[in-house]
Amino acid sequence: MDQDILYMKMAIDEAKKASDNVFPNPKVGCVIVQNGKIVSKGYHQKFGGPHAEAEALNNCDTQLKDATMYVTLEPCNHYGKTAPCTSLIEPEKFKRIVIANRDPNPLINKGLQTLIDKGLRVDFNVCEDDAKFVNRRFFTFYEKKRPFVILKFAATLDGFMSEIDGHSKWITSKKSRLSVHTLRSSCDAILVGRKTVEVDNPSLTSHGVGPDPQVVILDPSRKIDKQYTAFNKNTIHFTDELSNSNPEKNIQKILSKLYSLNIQSVLVEGGAKTLTGFIDSGSFDEIHAYFAPKLIGEGISIYNSKKKIADSLNLDIVKHETFDNDIKITYYNKKAK
C-alpha cells in the first residue's frame, strides 16, 4: 500500500475516535511520521479543545525535524476557541504536510496556502472520499447549504409504522428506543408533522441520553394546539409559509430556514406524509430504519406515495445493528440533492 494512503487511513481512524462533542467543528485526526516511523497521533476531542494537530504535537515526545504530518482536514488559519493550527506547523519541524480534504468553511481562511507560503510541501486529496464520509454532516452543511437530513422510522416486517388508527406504542423494543434517543442527541434538530404531535404527543427529547435536539413542527394549516408537550419557547413552527400543493418546495424552504439558523443536522421522524415528502424530494442523506419482528396486516405505511419496482433510491447500506430481536439498517443516499 502507498505510504501516504497507509498513514492517512491511520489519521482517519483517529478522526473516528471523536464523539459528537466536537460539534459544530468536524472530526479530525492527525498522524506525525518521521524517518518512516509514526511518532505521534491525535484527534480533536471536544469543541473548544485542542485541534487534532495540536493534540498530536502535544502527544509527541520526539524532537521533530523533516517530519511529515498527515491530517484529515485542512488546518485552520484563524483565531477561534484556539490559536490557528497553521501557526503550530513550523518548517523547522516539518518538511511536508499531507491533507485529505480542503475545508469548505470559509472561516478557515486559506490554511493550505499559508502552509505553502511557509515553504512547506503540501499534498492534498489523499483518501479524500473516506475522510469526507467521516464528516458527511459537516460537508453537506457547507457544500449544499442545507442541514444533513436523516429520515428515521420504526416499522413492522410488513412495512407499517402504526395500526390503522395511528396506535404505534410500541412497535420496537426498549433497546431500539434507547438507540433512537442516542440518535436524537447527536442531531441539532428533530422534525415532525402536525399529525404526529397530535396522535402521539411525543416529547421529542433524548430522554436524558444527551443534548436535546431543537424541535421543528410542520403545520401548514395552522391547526395545532400549542399545549402539546413538544412545544417550548425554542420550537420552530412552520405554518403559512408552507404550501400544501408543493411538498418539494416546502422542503426547500424548510431546509433553507434551518441552514440560516446554523442547524447542521436534522432528524426527520415523521409521520408518513412528512417522510414521503422528503423521500420524493431526494433531499435526504440517510435513512435509519428500525424493523421489529411483527406483522399486523394493515396500518399506516412508512411511505404513502407510489413508485415502480424499477425505481431506485440509490441507497447504500453503511451499518446494521440488532437490538434484542429488532434490526436497524442505516442507509446512505449517495445521490442526495
Side-chain angles (χ1 to χ4, degrees):
M1 181 183 291
D2 181 279
Q3 291 297 299
D4 281 350
I5 294 175
L6 174 66
Y7 293 131
M8 187 59 77
K9 284 186 177 294
M10 292 181 180
I12 291 171
D13 286 341
E14 286 294 302
K16 290 178 179 177
K17 294 178 182 178
S19 72
D20 294 318
N21 290 334
V22 302
F23 174 80
N25 288 348
K27 300 175 181 181
V28 182
C30 180
V31 170
I32 298 174
V33 176
Q34 184 167 271
N35 298 324
K37 295 181 179 179
I38 296 172
V39 295
S40 189
K41 299 177 183 179
Y43 67 95
H44 185 33
Q45 298 185 25
K46 65 178 181 179
F47 179 68
H51 290 186
E53 301 92 325
E55 282 283 349
L57 286 166
N58 291 339
N59 294 337
C60 185
D61 56 9
T62 300
Q63 185 172 351
L64 297 176
K65 183 174 177 59
D66 292 335
T68 299
M69 174 181 284
Y70 293 85
V71 62
T72 58
L73 193 68
E74 178 182 2
C76 65
N77 192 44
H78 72 289
Y79 282 91
K81 295 288 184 179
T82 62
C85 290
T86 52
S87 67
L88 305 176
I89 304 171
E90 303 166 351
E92 293 79 15
K93 296 180 179 180
F94 295 95
K95 66 176 181 180
R96 182 169 175 248
I97 310 299
V98 183
I99 300 168
N101 293 131
R102 299 287 298 269
D103 196 315
N105 185 349
L107 287 178
I108 294 311
N109 194 24
K110 301 179 181 179
L112 185 149
Q113 188 59 50
T114 299
L115 296 175
I116 293 173
D117 291 345
K118 284 186 172 187
L120 293 160
R121 175 185 167 185
V122 180
D123 295 308
F124 53 95
N125 293 347
V126 177
C127 301
E128 65 268 32
D129 290 340
D130 290 343
K132 193 172 186 178
F133 192 74
V134 174
N135 287 308
R136 52 197 181 277
R137 299 186 184 190
F138 177 81
F139 277 94
T140 294
F141 181 78
Y142 282 103
E143 292 181 345
K144 297 186 176 181
K145 310 300 182 187
R146 65 163 175 82
F148 187 88
V149 178
I150 299 171
L151 309 184
K152 170 264 168 184
F153 62 81
T156 60
L157 289 182
D158 46 354
F160 296 111
M161 58 195 304
S162 74
E163 295 174 357
I164 200 72
D165 63 357
H167 178 71
S168 62
K169 293 184 178 180
W170 294 105
I171 288 178
T172 53
S173 69
K174 186 175 181 179
K175 287 183 180 179
S176 288
R177 298 196 295 276
L178 177 59
S179 166
V180 172
H181 300 157
T182 301
L183 175 61
R184 286 178 178 178
S185 73
S186 75
C187 296
D188 303 330
I190 182 169
L191 183 151
V192 295
R194 172 180 61 84
K195 288 186 179 179
T196 295
V197 176
E198 291 178 338
V199 172
D200 295 335
N201 192 21
S203 68
L204 303 178
T205 68
S206 71
H207 292 261
V209 172
D212 291 332
Q214 187 162 4
V215 174
V216 181
I217 297 175
L218 310 186
D219 178 26
S221 57
R222 196 186 279 272
K223 291 181 178 179
I224 201 165
D225 183 341
K226 292 189 178 182
Q227 298 305 309
Y228 285 102
T229 304
F231 272 97
N232 58 60
K233 63 180 180 181
N234 295 318
T235 298
I236 302 170
H237 187 199
F238 285 94
T239 56
D240 297 341
E241 64 269 46
L242 303 183
S243 166
N244 283 308
S245 61
N246 196 321
E248 186 166 350
K249 283 189 176 180
N250 288 347
I251 288 170
Q252 298 312 313
K253 288 180 181 178
I254 292 162
L255 296 181
S256 293
K257 175 66 173 179
L258 297 183
Y259 172 79
S260 72
L261 296 173
N262 207 35
I263 290 175
Q264 200 174 106
S265 58
V266 58
L267 177 64
V268 179
E269 285 209 17
K273 182 179 178 181
T274 302
L275 288 169
T276 298
F278 274 91
I279 290 171
D280 286 347
S281 75
S283 296
F284 70 95
D285 302 284
E286 289 182 354
I287 293 179
H288 290 224
Y290 293 79
F291 291 101
K294 297 176 181 179
L295 300 167
I296 59 175
E298 66 174 358
I300 297 176
S301 173
I302 58 178
Y303 181 70
N304 64 11
S305 186
K306 292 183 179 180
K307 288 185 180 293
K308 296 180 180 179
I309 290 176
D311 293 335
S312 173
L313 292 180
N314 298 302
L315 304 180
D316 290 333
I317 294 178
V318 294
K319 192 175 184 180
H320 51 83
E321 304 164 84
T322 56
F323 301 101
D324 289 333
N325 292 316
D326 300 339
I327 184 167
K328 178 189 178 185
I329 305 174
T330 301
Y331 297 92
Y332 180 66
N333 182 8
K334 57 188 175 185
K335 293 188 178 181
K337 291 183 180 179

Short mmCIF file of all heavy atoms in Angstrom, two decimals, residues 94-135:
data_model
loop_
_atom_site.label_atom_id
_atom_site.label_comp_id
_atom_site.label_asym_id
_atom_site.label_seq_id
_atom_site.Cartn_x
_atom_site.Cartn_y
_atom_site.Cartn_z
N PHE A 94 8.75 20.39 10.26
CA PHE A 94 8.10 19.64 9.20
C PHE A 94 8.62 20.05 7.83
O PHE A 94 8.91 21.23 7.59
CB PHE A 94 6.58 19.86 9.24
CG PHE A 94 5.93 19.33 10.49
CD1 PHE A 94 5.70 20.15 11.59
CD2 PHE A 94 5.54 17.99 10.57
CE1 PHE A 94 5.11 19.66 12.74
CE2 PHE A 94 4.95 17.49 11.73
CZ PHE A 94 4.74 18.33 12.81
N LYS A 95 8.69 19.07 6.94
CA LYS A 95 9.02 19.39 5.56
C LYS A 95 7.82 19.16 4.64
O LYS A 95 7.80 19.65 3.51
CB LYS A 95 10.21 18.56 5.07
CG LYS A 95 9.94 17.06 4.98
CD LYS A 95 11.15 16.32 4.39
CE LYS A 95 10.86 14.80 4.26
NZ LYS A 95 12.02 14.07 3.69
N ARG A 96 6.82 18.42 5.14
CA ARG A 96 5.70 18.06 4.27
C ARG A 96 4.43 17.89 5.09
O ARG A 96 4.46 17.34 6.20
CB ARG A 96 6.04 16.76 3.53
CG ARG A 96 4.99 16.28 2.55
CD ARG A 96 5.57 15.14 1.70
NE ARG A 96 4.57 14.56 0.82
CZ ARG A 96 4.08 13.35 0.94
NH1 ARG A 96 4.52 12.54 1.91
NH2 ARG A 96 3.19 12.90 0.09
N ILE A 97 3.32 18.35 4.53
CA ILE A 97 2.00 18.18 5.14
C ILE A 97 1.11 17.49 4.10
O ILE A 97 1.04 17.93 2.95
CB ILE A 97 1.36 19.53 5.53
CG1 ILE A 97 2.35 20.38 6.35
CG2 ILE A 97 0.07 19.31 6.31
CD1 ILE A 97 2.80 19.75 7.64
N VAL A 98 0.43 16.43 4.52
CA VAL A 98 -0.48 15.70 3.63
C VAL A 98 -1.89 15.85 4.18
O VAL A 98 -2.15 15.54 5.34
CB VAL A 98 -0.09 14.21 3.53
CG1 VAL A 98 -1.01 13.49 2.53
CG2 VAL A 98 1.37 14.05 3.11
N ILE A 99 -2.80 16.34 3.34
CA ILE A 99 -4.16 16.67 3.76
C ILE A 99 -5.15 15.85 2.95
O ILE A 99 -5.03 15.73 1.73
CB ILE A 99 -4.43 18.18 3.55
CG1 ILE A 99 -3.44 19.02 4.38
CG2 ILE A 99 -5.87 18.54 3.91
CD1 ILE A 99 -3.44 20.49 4.01
N ALA A 100 -6.16 15.31 3.63
CA ALA A 100 -7.19 14.54 2.92
C ALA A 100 -8.18 15.46 2.23
O ALA A 100 -8.48 15.29 1.05
CB ALA A 100 -7.92 13.60 3.89
N ASN A 101 -8.71 16.44 2.96
CA ASN A 101 -9.77 17.30 2.43
C ASN A 101 -9.47 18.77 2.64
O ASN A 101 -8.97 19.16 3.70
CB ASN A 101 -11.11 17.01 3.11
CG ASN A 101 -11.68 15.65 2.79
OD1 ASN A 101 -12.07 14.92 3.68
ND2 ASN A 101 -11.73 15.28 1.53
N ARG A 102 -9.81 19.58 1.65
CA ARG A 102 -9.86 21.02 1.86
C ARG A 102 -11.07 21.33 2.74
O ARG A 102 -12.09 20.66 2.67
CB ARG A 102 -10.00 21.75 0.52
CG ARG A 102 -8.87 21.53 -0.45
CD ARG A 102 -7.62 22.26 -0.03
NE ARG A 102 -7.80 23.69 0.01
CZ ARG A 102 -7.56 24.50 -1.04
NH1 ARG A 102 -7.15 24.00 -2.18
NH2 ARG A 102 -7.73 25.81 -0.92
N ASP A 103 -10.97 22.33 3.58
CA ASP A 103 -12.06 22.68 4.47
C ASP A 103 -13.04 23.61 3.75
O ASP A 103 -12.64 24.66 3.24
CB ASP A 103 -11.52 23.37 5.73
CG ASP A 103 -12.52 23.41 6.85
OD1 ASP A 103 -13.69 23.75 6.58
OD2 ASP A 103 -12.16 23.11 8.00
N PRO A 104 -14.34 23.24 3.69
CA PRO A 104 -15.31 24.09 2.99
C PRO A 104 -15.75 25.32 3.77
O PRO A 104 -16.41 26.20 3.22
CB PRO A 104 -16.50 23.14 2.79
CG PRO A 104 -16.43 22.23 3.97
CD PRO A 104 -14.97 22.02 4.23
N ASN A 105 -15.38 25.38 5.05
CA ASN A 105 -15.77 26.52 5.88
C ASN A 105 -14.89 27.73 5.53
O ASN A 105 -13.67 27.69 5.71
CB ASN A 105 -15.59 26.15 7.36
CG ASN A 105 -16.08 27.24 8.30
OD1 ASN A 105 -16.37 28.36 7.87
ND2 ASN A 105 -16.15 26.92 9.57
N PRO A 106 -15.48 28.83 5.05
CA PRO A 106 -14.68 29.99 4.66
C PRO A 106 -13.88 30.61 5.80
O PRO A 106 -12.89 31.31 5.56
CB PRO A 106 -15.72 30.98 4.11
CG PRO A 106 -17.02 30.54 4.71
CD PRO A 106 -16.92 29.05 4.84
N LEU A 107 -14.28 30.34 7.05
CA LEU A 107 -13.54 30.90 8.19
C LEU A 107 -12.14 30.32 8.32
O LEU A 107 -11.29 30.89 9.01
CB LEU A 107 -14.31 30.64 9.49
CG LEU A 107 -15.57 31.47 9.73
CD1 LEU A 107 -16.23 31.05 11.02
CD2 LEU A 107 -15.24 32.96 9.76
N ILE A 108 -11.91 29.18 7.68
CA ILE A 108 -10.59 28.55 7.78
C ILE A 108 -9.52 29.46 7.20
O ILE A 108 -8.37 29.43 7.59
CB ILE A 108 -10.61 27.18 7.07
CG1 ILE A 108 -11.55 26.25 7.83
CG2 ILE A 108 -9.23 26.57 6.98
CD1 ILE A 108 -11.33 26.20 9.32
N ASN A 109 -9.90 30.29 6.23
CA ASN A 109 -9.05 31.39 5.78
C ASN A 109 -7.73 30.92 5.17
O ASN A 109 -6.65 31.31 5.59
CB ASN A 109 -8.79 32.36 6.94
CG ASN A 109 -8.20 33.67 6.48
OD1 ASN A 109 -8.39 34.06 5.32
ND2 ASN A 109 -7.51 34.36 7.37
N LYS A 110 -7.83 30.04 4.17
CA LYS A 110 -6.68 29.68 3.34
C LYS A 110 -5.55 29.04 4.15
O LYS A 110 -4.39 29.44 4.04
CB LYS A 110 -6.17 30.89 2.58
CG LYS A 110 -7.21 31.52 1.66
CD LYS A 110 -6.67 32.74 0.95
CE LYS A 110 -7.73 33.37 0.05
NZ LYS A 110 -7.24 34.58 -0.64
N GLY A 111 -5.90 28.03 4.93
CA GLY A 111 -4.88 27.34 5.71
C GLY A 111 -3.83 26.67 4.84
O GLY A 111 -2.63 26.73 5.12
N LEU A 112 -4.29 26.03 3.76
CA LEU A 112 -3.36 25.34 2.87
C LEU A 112 -2.35 26.33 2.27
O LEU A 112 -1.15 26.07 2.24
CB LEU A 112 -4.15 24.61 1.78
CG LEU A 112 -3.37 23.72 0.81
CD1 LEU A 112 -4.25 22.56 0.34
CD2 LEU A 112 -2.92 24.51 -0.42
N GLN A 113 -2.83 27.47 1.78
CA GLN A 113 -1.94 28.45 1.16
C GLN A 113 -0.95 29.02 2.18
O GLN A 113 0.22 29.27 1.84
CB GLN A 113 -2.75 29.59 0.55
CG GLN A 113 -1.93 30.56 -0.27
CD GLN A 113 -1.20 29.90 -1.42
OE1 GLN A 113 -1.81 29.16 -2.20
NE2 GLN A 113 0.10 30.13 -1.54
N THR A 114 -1.38 29.18 3.42
CA THR A 114 -0.47 29.67 4.46
C THR A 114 0.68 28.70 4.68
O THR A 114 1.83 29.12 4.86
CB THR A 114 -1.24 29.87 5.77
OG1 THR A 114 -2.27 30.84 5.57
CG2 THR A 114 -0.32 30.34 6.90
N LEU A 115 0.39 27.40 4.65
CA LEU A 115 1.45 26.41 4.81
C LEU A 115 2.41 26.45 3.63
O LEU A 115 3.64 26.33 3.80
CB LEU A 115 0.82 25.01 4.93
CG LEU A 115 -0.06 24.78 6.16
CD1 LEU A 115 -0.72 23.41 6.10
CD2 LEU A 115 0.76 24.90 7.45
N ILE A 116 1.88 26.61 2.43
CA ILE A 116 2.73 26.71 1.24
C ILE A 116 3.62 27.94 1.33
O ILE A 116 4.82 27.89 1.01
CB ILE A 116 1.86 26.74 -0.04
CG1 ILE A 116 1.14 25.40 -0.22
CG2 ILE A 116 2.70 27.07 -1.27
CD1 ILE A 116 0.14 25.39 -1.35
N ASP A 117 3.04 29.04 1.78
CA ASP A 117 3.82 30.28 1.91
C ASP A 117 4.95 30.15 2.92
O ASP A 117 5.93 30.89 2.86
CB ASP A 117 2.89 31.44 2.32
CG ASP A 117 1.92 31.83 1.21
OD1 ASP A 117 2.15 31.42 0.05
OD2 ASP A 117 0.93 32.52 1.52
N LYS A 118 4.80 29.22 3.87
CA LYS A 118 5.86 28.97 4.84
C LYS A 118 7.01 28.17 4.23
O LYS A 118 8.05 27.98 4.88
CB LYS A 118 5.32 28.19 6.04
CG LYS A 118 4.50 29.00 7.02
CD LYS A 118 4.15 28.14 8.23
CE LYS A 118 3.49 28.96 9.31
NZ LYS A 118 3.30 28.16 10.57
N GLY A 119 6.81 27.67 3.03
CA GLY A 119 7.85 26.88 2.38
C GLY A 119 7.66 25.38 2.54
O GLY A 119 8.54 24.60 2.17
N LEU A 120 6.54 24.98 3.10
CA LEU A 120 6.27 23.56 3.29
C LEU A 120 5.71 22.95 2.01
O LEU A 120 4.98 23.59 1.26
CB LEU A 120 5.27 23.36 4.42
CG LEU A 120 5.74 23.75 5.82
CD1 LEU A 120 4.56 23.96 6.74
CD2 LEU A 120 6.66 22.68 6.38
N ARG A 121 6.05 21.69 1.78
CA ARG A 121 5.42 20.96 0.68
C ARG A 121 4.07 20.46 1.17
O ARG A 121 3.97 19.84 2.24
CB ARG A 121 6.29 19.78 0.25
CG ARG A 121 5.64 18.90 -0.81
CD ARG A 121 6.47 17.69 -1.13
NE ARG A 121 5.68 16.72 -1.91
CZ ARG A 121 6.13 15.51 -2.24
NH1 ARG A 121 7.35 15.12 -1.89
NH2 ARG A 121 5.34 14.69 -2.93
N VAL A 122 3.03 20.74 0.42
CA VAL A 122 1.68 20.35 0.82
C VAL A 122 1.05 19.50 -0.28
O VAL A 122 0.98 19.91 -1.43
CB VAL A 122 0.78 21.57 1.09
CG1 VAL A 122 -0.61 21.12 1.51
CG2 VAL A 122 1.40 22.46 2.17
N ASP A 123 0.62 18.31 0.09
CA ASP A 123 -0.12 17.43 -0.82
C ASP A 123 -1.52 17.22 -0.23
O ASP A 123 -1.68 17.09 0.98
CB ASP A 123 0.58 16.08 -0.97
CG ASP A 123 1.95 16.22 -1.64
OD1 ASP A 123 2.02 16.84 -2.72
OD2 ASP A 123 2.94 15.72 -1.06
N PHE A 124 -2.52 17.17 -1.10
CA PHE A 124 -3.87 17.01 -0.58
C PHE A 124 -4.68 16.07 -1.47
O PHE A 124 -4.22 15.58 -2.49
CB PHE A 124 -4.57 18.36 -0.41
CG PHE A 124 -4.58 19.24 -1.62
CD1 PHE A 124 -5.67 19.25 -2.48
CD2 PHE A 124 -3.50 20.07 -1.90
CE1 PHE A 124 -5.69 20.06 -3.59
CE2 PHE A 124 -3.52 20.89 -3.01
CZ PHE A 124 -4.61 20.88 -3.86
N ASN A 125 -5.91 15.78 -1.02
CA ASN A 125 -6.82 14.84 -1.68
C ASN A 125 -6.34 13.40 -1.58
O ASN A 125 -6.61 12.57 -2.46
CB ASN A 125 -7.07 15.21 -3.14
CG ASN A 125 -7.85 16.51 -3.29
OD1 ASN A 125 -8.42 17.00 -2.32
ND2 ASN A 125 -7.88 17.05 -4.49
N VAL A 126 -5.66 13.06 -0.50
CA VAL A 126 -5.27 11.68 -0.22
C VAL A 126 -6.38 11.05 0.63
O VAL A 126 -6.69 11.55 1.70
CB VAL A 126 -3.92 11.61 0.51
CG1 VAL A 126 -3.57 10.16 0.87
CG2 VAL A 126 -2.82 12.23 -0.34
N CYS A 127 -6.99 9.98 0.13
CA CYS A 127 -8.13 9.32 0.82
C CYS A 127 -9.27 10.31 1.07
O CYS A 127 -9.96 10.24 2.10
CB CYS A 127 -7.69 8.69 2.14
SG CYS A 127 -6.40 7.46 2.01
N GLU A 128 -9.48 11.21 0.13
CA GLU A 128 -10.45 12.28 0.37
C GLU A 128 -11.87 11.77 0.58
O GLU A 128 -12.61 12.31 1.41
CB GLU A 128 -10.42 13.32 -0.76
CG GLU A 128 -10.85 12.83 -2.13
CD GLU A 128 -9.70 12.32 -2.98
OE1 GLU A 128 -8.73 11.78 -2.41
OE2 GLU A 128 -9.79 12.44 -4.22
N ASP A 129 -12.27 10.73 -0.15
CA ASP A 129 -13.65 10.23 0.00
C ASP A 129 -13.88 9.61 1.38
O ASP A 129 -14.92 9.85 2.00
CB ASP A 129 -13.97 9.21 -1.10
CG ASP A 129 -14.08 9.85 -2.47
OD1 ASP A 129 -14.29 11.08 -2.55
OD2 ASP A 129 -13.95 9.13 -3.48
N ASP A 130 -12.93 8.82 1.84
CA ASP A 130 -13.06 8.18 3.15
C ASP A 130 -13.08 9.23 4.27
O ASP A 130 -13.87 9.14 5.22
CB ASP A 130 -11.91 7.20 3.40
CG ASP A 130 -12.00 5.97 2.52
OD1 ASP A 130 -13.09 5.71 1.97
OD2 ASP A 130 -10.99 5.26 2.37
N ALA A 131 -12.23 10.23 4.14
CA ALA A 131 -12.17 11.27 5.17
C ALA A 131 -13.43 12.13 5.15
O ALA A 131 -13.95 12.52 6.20
CB ALA A 131 -10.93 12.15 4.95
N LYS A 132 -13.93 12.39 3.96
CA LYS A 132 -15.14 13.21 3.83
C LYS A 132 -16.35 12.49 4.43
O LYS A 132 -17.22 13.13 5.03
CB LYS A 132 -15.39 13.52 2.36
CG LYS A 132 -16.40 14.62 2.11
CD LYS A 132 -16.43 15.00 0.63
CE LYS A 132 -17.33 16.18 0.38
NZ LYS A 132 -17.33 16.58 -1.05
N PHE A 133 -16.39 11.18 4.30
CA PHE A 133 -17.53 10.43 4.83
C PHE A 133 -17.62 10.54 6.34
O PHE A 133 -18.71 10.57 6.91
CB PHE A 133 -17.43 8.96 4.41
CG PHE A 133 -18.69 8.18 4.66
CD1 PHE A 133 -19.79 8.36 3.85
CD2 PHE A 133 -18.78 7.29 5.71
CE1 PHE A 133 -20.97 7.65 4.09
CE2 PHE A 133 -19.95 6.58 5.97
CZ PHE A 133 -21.05 6.76 5.14
N VAL A 134 -16.48 10.61 7.01
CA VAL A 134 -16.47 10.77 8.47
C VAL A 134 -17.18 12.06 8.86
O VAL A 134 -17.88 12.12 9.87
CB VAL A 134 -15.02 10.76 9.00
CG1 VAL A 134 -14.99 11.09 10.49
CG2 VAL A 134 -14.35 9.42 8.74
N ASN A 135 -17.03 13.10 8.03
CA ASN A 135 -17.63 14.41 8.31
C ASN A 135 -18.73 14.75 7.31
O ASN A 135 -18.86 15.90 6.89
CB ASN A 135 -16.53 15.48 8.29
CG ASN A 135 -15.65 15.41 9.51
OD1 ASN A 135 -16.12 15.41 10.63
ND2 ASN A 135 -14.35 15.34 9.29
#
